[in-house]
């Protein structure tokens, strides 16, 4: 690339997607810099994916032990919150990015600390310093969305994902607005630490963006855990009285708690990053890009800031697309098989279409592996559904132990357009949760025998 610039590529944002893209570009021999206003590694590493899954694990392990005869008798104590939080601190490197900075150095990637904005074509300003690059990649991520509920935006002390994953002690009673992934994951993690939890969701099931059976099944599991679910209700106002948060409704009793987690989604961070300097006007969902992830002339965007899929691993996938194209390729993004996983107990996983002309469902209680996990295997909610157009699997969703792992067969089948005939010929090991595919495909074949066997 041209030597007339300070760098071949400057990436604005060193979260996981930006890091991933930078590494790929550096491997390709380019001069790369990343600009970061906070910690290298970003939201996922310090305040989202990693700490939340770490905080979920102790309660999950205890619940699994209590469900297994022989192990249950050995569980004589309660979850040690201080030890769980210490593990969280270890996982997030005590909120320092020394390790990630060391990795950047090892890859020959320069780090520009500070707020970055596009200063014009091929120019990025980081604080008072301006650098030039042939290509600019915008990977500025997203911020929590605080809805315009009366009184909410004026309150001090509310939690978002950052405060929840960074807590120093478990609350006495946690109120949660929003039943999406953040709300249900942190709700279960904190409930299993001994806190009372009340969750408010405006739709009639948790995980409102996922198929109803998934949200309904997970809702039962959360209720069984002792979480209060207030579904189909919208908060009318939020206030603070006598040191407690109060969530009020147009009808019904108020909810009170010592902590309030607002988990009502995120919005792309597009303001103040200089998009106007290169003639880019963000859309309602974020920076609009073409299938190559191009936002303008030598300007690219990836991750949450595009508003396409607010998932770290989608951002990393987009980072590979951007890097390959800058390195001379012509690669397009394909979102037909984006897996989604909610790491509750049980896990909720989905991929592809939610509906189709042919569907088949198997209850996890009918899969032999389930009975080896728990004596009460037939009492816990769990299932897998496959959706098909008669020739291929087009979608799948499942609720069960480690569902995010074994549902990946469906992700590969959808992305690679594997015919049902071939899927029917796959040997599934016994006893594994993957046998759900055997049972479900057999049912699907019975419903559409000609299509499945062709």
């Amino acid at each position: 690339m041209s030597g007339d610039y300070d760098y071949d590529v400057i990436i604005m944002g060193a979260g996981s997607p930006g890091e991933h893209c930078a590494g790929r570009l550096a491997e390709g021999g380019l001069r790369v810099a990343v600009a970061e206003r906070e910690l290298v590694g970003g939201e996922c590493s310090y305040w989202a994916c990693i700490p939340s899954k770490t905080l979920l694990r102790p309660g999950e392990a205890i619940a699994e032990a209590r469900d297994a005869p022989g192990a249950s008798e050995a569980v004589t104590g309660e979850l040690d919150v201080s030890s769980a939080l210490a593990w969280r601190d270890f996982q997030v490197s005590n909120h320092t990015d020394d390790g990630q900075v060391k990795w950047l150095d090892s890859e020959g990637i320069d780090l520009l600390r500070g707020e970055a904005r596009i200063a014009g074509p091929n120019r990025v300003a980081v604080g008072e310093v301006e650098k030039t690059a042939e290509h600019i990649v915008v990977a500025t991520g997203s911020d929590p969305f605080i809805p315009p509920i009366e009184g909410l935006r004026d309150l001090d002390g509310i939690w978002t994902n950052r405060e929840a994953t960074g807590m120093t002690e478990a609350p006495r009673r946690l109120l949660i607005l929003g039943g999406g992934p953040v709300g249900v994951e942190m709700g279960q993690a904190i409930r299993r630490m001994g806190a009372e939890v009340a969750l408010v969701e405006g739709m009639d099931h948790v995980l409102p963006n996922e198929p109803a059976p998934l949200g309904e099944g997970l809702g039962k599991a959360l209720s069984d855990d002792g979480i209060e679910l207030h579904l189909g209700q919208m908060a009318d106002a939020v206030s603070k009285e006598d040191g407690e948060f109060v969530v009020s409704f147009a009808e019904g009793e108020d909810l009170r708690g010592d902590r309030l987690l607002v988990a009502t989604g995120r919005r792309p961070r597009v303001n103040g990053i200089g998009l106007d300097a290169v003639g880019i006007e963000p859309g309602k969902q974020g920076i609009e890009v073409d299938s190559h992830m191009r936002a303008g002339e030598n300007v690219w965007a990836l991750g949450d800031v595009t508003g396409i899929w607010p998932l770290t691993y989608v951002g990393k996938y987009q980072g590979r697309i951007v890097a390959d194209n800058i390195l001379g390729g012509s690669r397009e993004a394909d979102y037909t098989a984006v897996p989604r996983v909610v790491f509750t107990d049980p896990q909720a996983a989905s991929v592809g279409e939610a509906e189709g002309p042919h569907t088949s469902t198997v209850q996890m209680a009918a899969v032999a592996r389930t009975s080896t996990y728990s004596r009460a295997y037939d009492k816990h909610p769990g299932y897998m559904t496959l959706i098909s157009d008669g020739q291929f699997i087009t979608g799948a969703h499942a609720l069960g132990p480690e569902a995010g792992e074994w549902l990946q067969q469906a992700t590969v089948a959808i992305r690679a357009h594997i015919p049902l005939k071939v899927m029917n010929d796959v040997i599934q090991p016994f006893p594994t949760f993957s046998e759900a595919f055997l049972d479900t495909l057999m049912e699907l074949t019975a419903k559409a025998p000609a299509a499945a066997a062709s």
Side-chain angles (χ1 to χ4, degrees):
M1 291 194 173
S2 173
D4 296 335
Y5 301 101
D6 296 320
Y7 297 99
D8 296 315
V9 186
I10 294 177
I11 299 174
M12 296 168 54
S16 296
E19 276 189 304
H20 196 65
C21 183
R24 192 99 166 195
L25 290 165
E27 287 176 4
L30 300 191
R31 297 168 299 144
V32 183
V34 293
E36 177 53 51
R37 64 188 181 124
E38 293 187 303
L39 297 178
V40 177
E43 199 80 15
C44 180
S45 299
Y46 304 100
W47 301 287
C49 319
I50 297 302
S52 62
K53 281 49 177 179
T54 302
L55 292 172
L56 278 163
R57 181 56 188 156
E60 177 186 64
I62 292 172
E64 287 179 352
R66 285 177 173 159
D67 249 2
S72 61
E73 290 79 2
V75 181
T76 58
E78 299 299 321
L79 190 153
D80 187 321
V81 176
S82 62
S83 293
L85 296 181
W87 186 19
R88 181 274 320 275
D89 290 341
F90 170 78
Q91 288 288 84
V92 301
S93 303
N94 290 307
H95 291 99
T96 64
D97 60 1
D98 296 348
Q100 295 306 106
V101 172
K102 184 177 180 180
W103 176 81
L104 290 178
D105 290 341
S106 71
E107 297 296 312
I109 300 167
D110 285 353
L111 172 60
L112 309 175
R113 290 276 193 188
E115 293 269 2
R117 60 179 175 81
I118 300 173
N122 309 108
R123 291 159 42 219
V124 174
V126 183
E128 301 300 319
V129 177
E130 189 172 295
K131 297 291 185 179
T132 60
E134 186 170 353
H135 295 271
I136 297 171
V137 179
V138 182
T140 49
S142 60
D143 294 311
F145 173 68
I146 309 299
I149 299 170
E150 181 182 338
L152 181 59
R153 291 179 173 176
D154 298 324
L155 278 182
D156 291 328
I158 62 173
W159 278 6
T160 64
N161 64 289
R162 289 198 170 196
E163 292 77 17
T165 59
M167 64 183 171
T168 56
E169 61 181 3
R172 175 185 57 80
R173 179 172 168 81
L174 174 66
L175 309 180
I176 303 174
L177 298 181
V182 173
V184 296
E185 286 185 357
M186 294 312 303
Q188 187 175 61
I190 292 172
R191 170 61 185 155
R192 288 180 168 182
M193 291 179 181
E196 295 180 8
V197 175
L199 184 151
V200 179
E201 168 53 51
M203 303 300 286
D204 59 2
H205 60 81
V206 298
L207 304 183
N209 294 326
E210 296 294 347
L214 204 55
E216 291 164 357
L218 180 57
K220 181 182 183 306
L222 296 177
S223 293
D224 290 345
D225 255 7
I227 295 176
E228 302 171 26
L229 296 182
H230 300 267
L231 303 175
Q233 292 183 265
M234 302 290 289
D236 192 53
V238 179
S239 59
K240 216 170 184 181
E241 296 178 6
D242 300 324
E244 286 193 321
F245 291 95
V246 181
V247 176
S248 303
F249 305 93
E251 298 180 2
E253 296 184 3
D254 295 347
L255 295 177
R256 292 175 174 267
D258 60 321
R259 293 294 182 187
L260 172 65
L261 168 59
V262 181
T264 49
R266 302 181 67 85
R267 295 294 182 271
R269 197 170 74 82
V270 296
N271 295 326
I273 60 173
L275 295 176
D276 56 328
V278 286
I280 294 176
E281 179 70 28
K284 291 182 179 180
Q285 303 302 316
I287 297 176
E288 296 178 352
V289 294
D290 63 16
S291 60
H292 299 275
M293 307 305 300
R294 186 181 291 106
E297 185 176 355
N298 284 4
V299 179
W300 313 76
L302 57 88
D304 285 11
V305 76
T306 68
I308 295 173
W309 277 101
L311 299 166
T312 296
Y313 46 88
V314 173
K316 292 171 71 173
Y317 167 72
Q318 293 169 336
R320 296 193 294 275
I321 300 290
V322 169
D324 288 355
N325 287 331
I326 289 176
L327 288 167
S330 182
R331 187 174 171 187
E332 297 182 80
D334 186 306
Y335 304 108
T336 55
V338 175
R340 288 96 65 195
V341 185
V342 179
F343 291 83
T344 44
D345 175 22
Q347 284 186 12
S350 57
V351 62
E353 301 295 329
E355 299 177 344
H358 303 287
T359 64
S360 62
T361 299
V362 63
Q363 299 302 313
M364 294 310 295
V367 178
R369 178 62 170 154
T370 309
S371 67
T372 71
Y373 257 52
S374 166
R375 184 70 176 266
Y377 69 95
D378 57 343
K379 302 295 193 297
H380 298 310
Y383 75 93
M384 185 181 81
T385 293
L386 292 182
I387 298 99
S388 172
D389 60 3
Q391 292 182 300
F392 305 95
I393 294 173
T394 56
H397 46 94
L399 186 72
E402 300 294 342
E405 301 287 347
W406 44 265
L407 198 70
Q408 276 297 90
Q409 284 194 52
T411 301
V412 174
I414 295 168
R415 182 64 183 89
H417 303 287
I418 299 175
L420 286 179
K421 180 180 180 180
V422 175
M423 289 300 296
N424 267 307
D425 201 45
V426 171
I427 299 172
Q428 304 289 353
F430 174 88
T432 65
F433 293 117
S434 293
E435 273 206 306
F437 280 90
L438 175 63
D439 297 340
T440 314
L441 283 164
M442 287 174 62
E443 182 181 324
L444 192 62
T445 302
K447 289 183 176 180
S454 62

